[in-house]
Amino acid sequence: MLRDCTVQPLLTDFYQFTMAYAYWKCGKEETNAVFELYFRENPLGGEFTIFAGLQDCLLFLSKFQLTEEDVKYLQSVLPPTTEQGFYDYLRNINTSTVTLRAMPEGSVVFPKVALLEVEGPLAIVQILETPLLTLVNYASLVATNAARFRLAAGSGKRLLEMGLRRAQGPDGGVSASKYSYIGGFDGTSNVLAGKLYGIPLFGSMAHSYVTSFISMSEVKVQTLKPASGGQPAVDFVSLCEKWLVRVCRLLHMSQDQINSSELAAFISYAVTYPGNFIALVDTYNVMRFKVSWFSDIPIIISNGISEKDLINLQNQRHEVDSIGVGTNLVTCPLQPSLGCVYKLTQVCGKARIKLTEDKEKMTLPGKKTAYRLYGLDGSPFLDLLTLGDEPAPRAGEEIRCHVLNRRDDCLQVTAARVETLHRVYYQHGQISEGLCTSSEIKSHAQNSLTNLHPKHKHLQDPVPYQVAISLKLCDLLNDLTKESKPVSEAPNEPIASQLPVDVNGL
């Protein structure tokens, strides 16, 4: 079952509408523009990110429409000098002229490579900025965090997301369950997420269940039918009491040491769930149980588990079967935000660039095509950004490019396979690719991460994955950078070229 998107058009920053009015006022609202949504640095000290949130973006776009109530509210908060014609314009805007290209959801992605490319009328695609960032930022961060937990735990352990009560509100809790599953977790305790997204549910008991029992007299149902069927029910309580004597003798314990509250709770739960019995054993005291045959019993642990804890457990060659993770998964305490940005790259077919003293925040101009280059071992080794009008790179042919942030160095590579990264997912007011289930997105994420070379997946000191730009894109970037230098730095240049070139300050 796919959850309908509940994000409304007004879930945005106020300045999106103040800019939209300014665009409308000067007649630029229908000007064709291209924005890119991307991040500048991989999160959590790693060298990969899992892209998530695309499906919610598509559902948001497909239902984008300001209601009359929305417009009246905007009339109450925008300056009284705002012309009535602008509100008539807002009543009629939709996304029928918007095109969205994107990576497939669940893909492994890297800095400066657009996750989404949004093209359409300037005012409309400007208004879309904040909702799209909201839908992608947290989703991709949690999915990446979950993928790191999976790498730390290993493929053979069952990971259970149990963070609903620790998440930032109900929306954060549901989103965390969905994107933790996509990132590699096996199940959730969140019932609503299970219903909405088909995520397997898991649950056992709380300490309150155990402590609610006082004595064996509270065990009302005392018989249990054999699982094989066809045989009469047995007195399960008497059977447990007989085995209790034998176990105490084996462990050299007195029956006086047995907690009757705990025993009653366990027997009652076992009668209720005879085929799926789980015992919460740390309500009172568990450290004294040191029995060799306990190694045959499936073990589930929780309680503040972090990525570091899982790494330590792996180093100890632990025998835990399932691991419940909550706070450190859904709140991403090591990094609260992925830091995605939404930047203008082209207007009316002309490249736009944001220039700043901080080179990391400089944008890459123009409408681009992104490719992933694979080596002979089947692993990707470089993402290449080219201008949209350049011919596609070909497998087996030498490709010359510049690694990002090292534009002075020319790199020569040959790919065994070349993959175009972006697809058209939304066009003419309709979703143009079928929506995937959460399980399908999870499968793609697992495959995408499996294909990535292990050196890029190390949780500690990973090797950076390379992103490069074509020679033509590099030339454009250099030209626009030179043209934007202040007059004092280029006294012999024509005045027109000394002015900043369409600096995008958003």
Side-chain angles (χ1 to χ4, degrees):
M1 178 179 178
L2 297 175
R3 181 193 181 201
D4 198 2
C5 182
T6 58
V7 176
Q8 302 177 34
L10 293 191
L11 186 67
T12 190
D13 293 305
F14 186 43
Y15 81 160
Q16 308 294 6
F17 285 103
T18 59
M19 284 188 289
Y21 178 54
Y23 289 141
W24 180 86
K25 183 74 173 176
C26 62
K28 290 171 64 71
E29 76 277 9
E30 295 297 329
T31 300
N32 182 269
V34 178
F35 283 82
E36 290 181 352
L37 189 153
Y38 61 92
F39 59 93
R40 298 185 176 112
E41 185 177 1
N42 285 305
L44 306 167
E47 287 298 339
F48 71 86
T49 300
I50 301 295
F51 169 44
L54 173 61
Q55 188 172 109
D56 284 341
C57 291
L58 296 174
L59 292 172
F60 165 69
L61 288 178
S62 68
K63 296 183 178 297
F64 181 89
Q65 182 75 58
L66 288 166
T67 65
E68 184 61 30
E69 183 180 356
D70 293 337
V71 175
K72 288 181 178 179
Y73 175 74
L74 290 172
Q75 284 181 300
S76 73
V77 294
L78 284 168
T81 55
T82 305
E83 297 179 32
Q84 182 61 41
F86 176 63
Y87 298 113
D88 294 335
Y89 163 75
L90 290 180
R91 288 184 176 93
N92 294 308
I93 62 171
N94 55 48
T95 58
S96 61
T97 52
V98 172
T99 298
L100 182 141
R101 301 174 184 85
M103 302 265 202
E105 187 164 7
S107 296
V108 170
V109 291
F110 303 99
K112 293 295 184 76
V113 181
L115 309 180
L116 308 178
E117 180 198 79
V118 186
E119 182 174 3
L122 179 56
I124 296 176
V125 293
Q126 182 72 72
I127 291 172
L128 297 176
E129 173 183 9
T130 304
L132 294 178
L133 285 170
T134 300
L135 291 169
V136 171
N137 255 316
Y138 180 68
S140 299
L141 181 65
V142 172
T144 305
N145 199 25
R148 291 178 61 87
F149 270 87
R150 169 52 68 194
L151 290 172
S155 59
K157 306 300 180 182
R158 188 166 64 150
L159 287 179
L160 308 169
E161 179 272 316
M162 303 167 65
L164 177 58
R165 63 186 62 192
R166 303 286 188 251
Q168 287 92 341
D171 288 341
V174 172
S175 295
S177 298
K178 176 182 179 180
Y179 294 115
S180 296
Y181 180 66
I182 286 173
F185 272 60
D186 298 296
T188 180
S189 64
N190 187 336
V191 179
L192 181 58
K195 174 189 175 185
L196 294 174
Y197 305 120
I199 303 173
L201 291 176
F202 169 85
S204 57
M205 65 176 72
H207 293 296
S208 56
Y209 180 83
V210 177
T211 57
S212 72
F213 287 82
I214 298 175
S215 68
M216 289 292 294
S217 63
E218 296 175 89
V219 181
K220 302 303 181 183
V221 180
Q222 301 201 356
T223 61
L224 187 64
K225 291 184 178 180
S228 58
Q231 298 181 22
V234 300
D235 187 336
F236 186 66
V237 173
S238 296
L239 188 63
C240 289
E241 289 174 339
K242 290 179 181 179
W243 272 99
L244 179 62
V245 174
R246 298 173 64 179
V247 170
C248 287
R249 188 181 304 120
L250 178 66
L251 299 179
H252 306 290
M253 291 175 56
S254 167
Q255 285 187 246
D256 295 337
Q257 296 179 267
I258 302 301
N259 188 295
S260 59
S261 165
E262 199 169 43
L263 179 62
F266 288 170
I267 291 176
S268 294
Y269 202 83
V271 170
T272 306
Y273 298 101
N276 190 30
F277 173 64
I278 299 174
L280 182 66
V281 298
D282 66 336
T283 303
Y284 300 108
N285 188 347
V286 70
M287 298 305 293
R288 66 188 177 192
F289 294 116
K290 297 179 181 179
V291 185
S292 60
W293 44 265
F294 270 18
S295 61
D296 297 327
I297 300 175
I299 300 172
I300 305 170
I301 63 170
S302 61
N303 188 24
I305 302 295
S306 67
E307 178 186 302
K308 184 177 180 180
D309 293 331
L310 292 183
I311 293 173
N312 291 336
L313 283 170
Q314 282 290 79
N315 292 337
Q316 297 169 19
R317 297 183 180 180
H318 67 92
E319 297 183 358
V320 172
D321 301 280
S322 300
I323 303 161
V325 188
T327 305
N328 289 305
L329 173 65
V330 304
T331 66
C332 301
L334 298 181
Q335 183 172 332
S337 174
L338 178 56
C340 286
V341 294
Y342 185 86
K343 297 299 180 182
L344 180 68
T345 63
Q346 180 174 291
V347 173
C348 285
K350 296 181 180 179
R352 293 296 187 264
I353 186 171
K354 173 185 176 180
L355 295 175
T356 173
E357 291 80 4
D358 186 348
K359 292 185 178 180
E360 286 295 319
K361 293 187 176 181
M362 184 183 296
T363 62
L364 296 174
K367 185 174 179 178
K368 295 177 282 295
T369 304
Y371 302 95
R372 182 156 292 171
L373 277 55
Y374 291 80
L376 293 173
D377 64 351
S379 298
F381 66 87
L382 183 138
D383 281 10
L384 177 66
L385 302 177
T386 73
L387 291 173
D389 59 359
E390 293 188 66
R394 295 181 179 180
E397 295 184 1
E398 185 179 90
I399 301 166
R400 299 179 67 208
C401 54
H402 293 276
V403 177
L404 272 181
N405 303 323
R406 298 208 313 267
R407 300 205 304 270
D408 293 337
D409 299 331
C410 185
L411 183 68
Q412 297 181 350
V413 297
T414 302
R417 181 167 71 90
V418 177
E419 175 188 19
T420 303
L421 291 179
H422 294 120
R423 305 177 188 173
V424 176
Y425 278 92
Y426 189 83
Q427 197 171 36
H428 308 308
Q430 295 183 337
I431 299 172
S432 52
E433 291 259 352
L435 295 178
C436 296
T437 65
S438 297
S439 294
E440 290 169 337
I441 298 171
K442 175 183 179 180
S443 178
H444 176 64
Q446 291 174 331
N447 292 335
S448 187
L449 198 55
T450 298
N451 288 336
L452 188 64
H453 195 281
K455 66 183 179 182
H456 304 305
K457 295 184 288 189
H458 294 323
L459 299 178
Q460 298 173 336
D461 301 320
V463 175
Y465 181 89
Q466 290 190 320
V467 176
I469 58 177
S470 68
L471 300 185
K472 187 174 181 179
L473 177 54
C474 185
D475 288 342
L476 175 63
L477 183 58
N478 288 335
D479 289 345
L480 293 180
T481 302
K482 290 176 183 177
E483 290 177 9
S484 66
K485 287 185 178 180
V487 175
S488 60
E489 295 185 28
N492 298 321
E493 297 282 346
I495 294 297
S497 67
Q498 296 164 5
L499 300 176
V501 179
D502 299 305
V503 176
N504 169 23
L506 304 181

